[in-house]
Amino acid sequence: MSIHIGAKQGEIAETILLPGDPLRAKWIAETFFDNPFCFNEIRGMLGYTGTYKGKKISVMGTGMGVPSISIYTQELITQYNVKNLIRVGSAGSYQPEVKLRDVVLAMSSSSTSGINELRFGGADYAPTASFELFRKALEIAEAKNIDVKAGNILTSDEFYEDDIKSYEKWSKFGVLCVEMETAGLYTIAAMHNVNALSILTISDSLVTKETTTSKERESTFTEMIAIALELA
């Protein structure tokens, strides 16, 4: 057991899906895995391992924000030997052409988080996806006729910003959408030389003000899950 994960050695697969919401982790395991079992309930951050098409695979919630996902990914990599970390999360669109329920592959992640600024002494670090996972995800999406967007996203420390128009400066520079975890995931994965990719579904739009419900976000974003499962 690690500090925040209650699994025994060998109970977590080398490939793990990482939704922010632990209930989405539960839904993924119960819907897509064969013979899933729960390996973690500490702090309610549910984690499961099962098989998909005969291959061992895990899923676990990470919570919200860079600090939370950084803790879990650090322990998964260093104490459970996880090699492929695939975030399956929701995001808010910054572009008119990035519509509700569109799937986005995060090639890189800009960020308003201060963690990497501390880590690199004020210098800028550019967190990027694993090329291997990114290339495979594109191939899987094409084979399944799933239309995906790919590019730079924003990892933000703020969910409710004081300036509701602040997204426009990021939109101007081509940032596709905003979420709260990817920059942390990509940085920790790079530090330990393992693979990471964020596959996101647009749950709301800052451009059109459209949104989805919490239940829809929990259990209906199936296209990104289909891509992630095949990556295993």
Side-chain angles (χ1 to χ4, degrees):
M1 294 174 61
S2 66
I3 296 174
H4 302 94
I5 302 172
K8 299 174 183 177
Q9 290 300 315
E11 288 189 333
I12 301 178
E14 285 194 352
T15 297
I16 190 166
L17 276 54
L18 299 172
D21 183 357
L23 292 179
R24 187 183 300 151
K26 183 175 187 289
W27 174 76
I28 290 170
E30 293 177 347
T31 304
F32 298 102
F33 290 6
D34 292 323
N35 303 312
F37 67 89
C38 182
F39 64 75
N40 188 65
E41 294 180 318
I42 296 173
R43 293 176 176 259
M45 202 57 66
L46 301 174
Y48 299 84
T49 293
T51 59
Y52 178 76
K53 294 186 176 180
K55 186 165 183 180
K56 186 177 179 181
I57 187 171
S58 297
V59 63
M60 191 178 80
T62 64
M64 298 174 68
V66 169
S68 184
I69 197 170
S70 296
I71 289 169
Y72 289 112
T73 53
Q74 177 81 11
E75 294 184 12
L76 287 167
I77 295 165
T78 62
Q79 300 188 48
Y80 294 99
N81 204 35
V82 174
K83 301 298 185 185
N84 304 294
L85 301 100
I86 305 164
R87 170 161 155 69
V88 281
S90 57
S93 173
Y94 276 0
Q95 303 291 342
E97 69 275 14
V98 181
K99 308 291 188 181
L100 216 64
R101 296 183 177 276
D102 278 357
V103 176
V104 174
L105 303 181
M107 297 172 67
S108 59
S109 184
S110 300
S111 183
T112 62
S113 173
I115 289 181
N116 276 347
E117 188 174 342
L118 290 172
R119 178 176 280 120
F120 291 95
D124 291 328
Y125 174 76
T128 55
S130 159
F131 176 71
E132 179 183 348
L133 288 183
F134 178 76
R135 180 183 61 185
K136 288 181 179 178
L138 281 178
E139 292 172 353
I140 292 165
E142 290 173 2
K144 290 182 172 294
N145 294 315
I146 298 173
D147 183 37
V148 297
K149 309 282 194 307
N152 190 14
I153 69 162
L154 175 67
T155 296
S156 176
D157 271 354
E158 294 180 287
F159 189 87
Y160 298 108
E161 296 191 62
D162 293 339
D163 180 6
I164 61 173
K165 293 288 188 179
S166 65
Y167 80 91
E168 293 177 352
K169 64 182 176 183
W170 298 101
S171 175
K172 180 180 178 180
F173 285 87
V175 172
L176 299 179
C177 58
V178 62
E179 47 86 88
M180 301 183 72
E181 290 81 32
T182 295
L185 169 63
Y186 285 3
T187 299
I188 300 298
M191 180 189 301
H192 296 287
N193 194 31
V194 298
N195 297 314
L197 177 67
S198 277
I199 308 174
L200 307 169
T201 299
I202 299 301
S203 60
D204 56 277
S205 171
L206 281 80
V207 181
T208 66
K209 312 307 179 187
E210 295 174 284
T211 189
T212 55
T213 67
S214 59
K215 189 63 178 177
E216 288 173 322
R217 292 191 294 273
E218 177 188 319
S219 61
T220 68
F221 291 171
T222 55
E223 287 189 332
M224 71 173 173
I225 305 302
I227 296 171
L229 289 169
E230 292 299 325
L231 282 175

